[in-house]
Amino acid sequence: MFAFVLYDEYRKRVLIARDPFGIMPLYIGQDVEGNLWISSEMKCMIEYCKNIKNFPPGHFAMGDPNNLNPQPFFVRPWQTEIPNQLADIAELRKRLEGAVRSHLQCDVSFGALLSGGVDSSLIASIATKIMRERDPSYRLRTFSVGMVGSPDFKHARMVADYIGSDHTEVIFTVEECLDGVRDLIYHLESYDIATVRCSLPMFYLARYVKSTGIKMILSGEGADEIFGGYLYFFKAPTYGEFHREMVTRLDQLHVSDILRANKVTMSKGLELRVPFLDTSFVDYVMSIRPEDKIPGALNCYSGIQDHRMEKYILRKAFDKNYLPPEVLWRQKEQFSDGVGYDLIEALPKFAAKRVTDAEFANVSQRFPINPPTTKEAYYYRCIFEDMFPGESPALTVEKWAPRLDWGCPEDPSGRAQEAHENRLKEYL
């Protein structure tokens, strides 16, 4: 992961580049005098720049600062073609273990985020096995966050006991999250509902983890994008549509989940590492044919069509002595759902009390760019607009939502999707 700028003062030339998936944030802007601005945060540019954009992931720009044209350096066949490589679970396991091993190279104290979902749990389990090659008594420090009774806590404890980690649960209340919305949006630099929802509990978790002396944290971000793990993927009508949607999700990571994960942790001085987004690992997984990855009745892993759950080949690759079965085969939970369902139910109610019907009726006039479609979205947008006014900051944000044309509800919560075992009542 990288984002950098090099300036040759003698030749007056600049080189700008950003990693393939936008793990590191990078903005580019121009002030009224035509000067070039580059920053990892938008907030320092707002006062000076009339035009601010996301520098695109997987691109570089080199030359005269006044005449830059970003060019792609990360170009792969699977970005435009439907792959046909058969899944090999032994190779998949080997490659993910290699990705985790490479991300463990550091000289500072580190730990792992552990939600109790399969992605973060696998990273923690693999990291523990690798570290115990040198020290059989090694105990990885793991952290989970949630409210009292959180679904994630139960499963995170199972994993912690199974791998023998030094585990900590960070408990928050709905009120604490609601009080932190404004501060969060300042650091997040986004008004997208899904991104804000998921960021709130992580905001509190990052603060606690940093206070323990941990400086680097492993996370499971990226798996849902490359394995098709979101529950709305069950509605994919064809293999081609399924694969193209994964490519789209991967392209949008830098304005959604990875933006959240990076900015929230870095706001507390904590370095986040994401082995699932190791470039060679992503290349391998995205080159696997969609028939082996698609969830539901269309799955044809190993040449046998059967109804299989999301991320089946990932789970199958690690079904021997890595995780307890209750976690390995646990259904996908959105992070904002897993920390406690009360939070997702409280946020719309909280926003509804702060946005009047009259205000919401004029939403298109106030916000012609990406107009909010709910009062919750309107509330976040108002806070964002107060801190980051103008058209160009608003255009740096993209909405994360399931595919409406597949018949999915607009609400980004996993519980709103038909495939969820605890589906929200209003969608029944």
Side-chain angles (χ1 to χ4, degrees):
M1 57 183 185
F2 60 86
F4 66 84
V5 182
L6 297 176
Y7 181 60
D8 185 336
E9 188 173 5
Y10 178 75
R11 300 172 63 196
K12 307 300 182 185
R13 291 169 62 85
V14 66
L15 170 62
I16 309 168
R18 189 178 183 188
D19 66 73
F21 313 116
I23 299 171
M24 301 300 292
L26 192 64
Y27 297 92
I28 184 168
Q30 190 177 48
D31 63 23
V32 292
E33 296 177 353
N35 296 311
L36 178 70
W37 287 65
I38 304 290
S39 177
S40 60
E41 291 189 302
M42 186 165 51
K43 56 181 64 67
C44 69
M45 305 165 72
I46 287 295
E47 184 179 349
Y48 306 99
C49 294
K50 60 180 180 180
N51 185 21
I52 301 172
K53 296 180 180 179
N54 280 302
F55 190 85
H59 283 64
F60 77 97
M62 183 169 61
D64 183 346
N66 296 313
N67 188 28
L68 291 175
N69 183 24
Q71 300 293 321
F73 66 81
F74 184 78
V75 180
R76 299 293 190 271
W78 52 260
Q79 292 173 320
T80 55
E81 303 170 9
I82 308 301
N84 56 16
Q85 175 180 290
L86 294 174
D88 181 336
I89 60 172
E91 182 67 16
L92 176 60
R93 181 170 57 251
K94 175 184 174 182
R95 286 177 178 260
L96 183 55
E97 289 174 338
V100 175
R101 188 180 296 275
S102 69
H103 282 70
L104 286 174
Q105 297 181 32
C106 67
D107 56 3
V108 297
S109 56
F110 67 90
L113 302 181
L114 181 58
S115 70
V118 67
D119 306 333
S120 63
S121 298
L122 276 177
I123 297 301
S125 177
I126 295 169
T128 297
K129 288 179 180 290
I130 292 171
M131 295 303 294
R132 284 180 181 165
E133 292 173 359
R134 291 178 288 178
D135 179 4
S137 64
Y138 178 81
R139 288 169 62 86
L140 179 69
R141 297 188 68 180
T142 55
F143 303 86
S144 59
V145 64
M147 294 182 287
V148 174
S150 158
D152 278 355
F153 278 159
K154 171 186 173 183
H155 294 90
R157 289 175 200 142
M158 288 183 186
V159 177
D161 290 342
Y162 191 88
I163 67 175
S165 69
D166 181 1
H167 188 60
T168 301
E169 294 177 354
V170 179
I171 298 174
F172 68 89
T173 65
V174 170
E175 291 72 26
E176 286 176 321
C177 271
L178 298 180
D179 288 344
V181 169
R182 187 175 184 86
D183 191 28
L184 170 70
I185 291 177
Y186 173 76
H187 290 290
L188 192 61
E189 301 181 325
S190 176
Y191 51 81
D192 173 60
I193 279 189
T195 306
V196 172
R197 284 180 176 181
C198 290
S199 298
L200 282 165
M202 198 169 186
F203 200 44
Y204 288 93
L205 179 60
R207 180 174 62 187
Y208 177 83
V209 173
K210 178 64 177 180
S211 73
T212 67
I214 294 288
K215 295 183 178 180
M216 185 274 279
I217 200 82
L218 296 169
S219 179
E221 257 76 32
D224 288 316
E225 285 72 18
I226 62 177
F227 285 99
Y230 294 112
L231 295 186
Y232 80 89
F233 277 110
F234 276 88
K235 303 284 281 186
T238 67
Y239 298 123
E241 282 289 290
F242 170 73
H243 178 77
R244 283 187 285 271
E245 183 67 5
M246 284 191 294
V247 174
T248 298
R249 281 287 166 232
L250 197 54
D251 287 343
Q252 294 178 342
L253 256 180
H254 71 289
V255 291
S256 56
D257 280 15
I258 204 63
L259 174 143
R260 161 185 60 82
N262 184 284
K263 287 193 174 183
V264 168
T265 51
M266 286 305 294
S267 73
K268 305 303 178 185
L270 189 63
E271 179 192 353
L272 182 91
R273 294 191 183 181
V274 282
F276 277 113
L277 292 179
D278 175 87
T279 304
S280 62
F281 183 70
V282 171
D283 256 343
Y284 176 74
V285 175
M286 290 300 290
S287 297
I288 295 173
R289 65 176 193 160
E291 290 91 332
D292 291 339
K293 295 197 290 183
I294 192 170
L298 292 178
N299 187 282
C300 283
Y301 168 69
S302 198
I304 302 173
Q305 185 167 348
D306 197 3
H307 192 288
R308 296 186 173 97
M309 71 185 306
E310 71 282 356
K311 294 182 284 195
Y312 178 82
I313 60 172
L314 174 63
R315 301 171 195 269
K316 187 67 176 175
F318 291 91
D319 66 353
K320 297 290 191 297
N321 303 318
Y322 281 85
L323 294 174
E326 299 92 333
V327 175
L328 183 66
W329 300 102
R330 181 191 179 195
Q331 187 182 58
K332 162 71 182 175
E333 286 275 19
Q334 302 285 93
F335 183 59
S336 52
D337 290 332
V339 298
Y341 295 145
D342 288 350
L343 176 62
I344 296 306
E345 294 168 1
L347 285 168
K349 296 175 183 177
F350 177 78
K353 294 178 181 178
R354 286 155 179 79
V355 179
T356 67
D357 291 341
E359 287 174 325
F360 191 64
N362 292 317
V363 63
S364 296
Q365 286 73 36
R366 180 168 183 183
F367 300 117
I369 297 172
N370 299 335
T373 57
T374 66
K375 286 188 175 181
E376 182 185 359
Y378 186 98
Y379 177 65
Y380 300 153
R381 184 63 178 277
C382 289
I383 296 174
F384 179 89
E385 181 73 14
D386 185 44
M387 298 174 177
F388 309 103
E391 291 187 2
S392 66
L395 288 169
T396 65
V397 180
E398 294 184 26
K399 183 178 181 179
W400 196 107
R403 287 284 294 271
L404 302 184
D405 58 331
W406 288 357
C408 302
E410 184 177 359
D411 192 305
S413 169
R415 286 196 300 153
Q417 304 307 313
E418 187 176 305
H420 198 286
E421 59 191 19
N422 293 318
R423 199 177 179 203
L424 287 169
K425 293 179 181 179
E426 57 262 39
Y427 294 104
L428 290 175

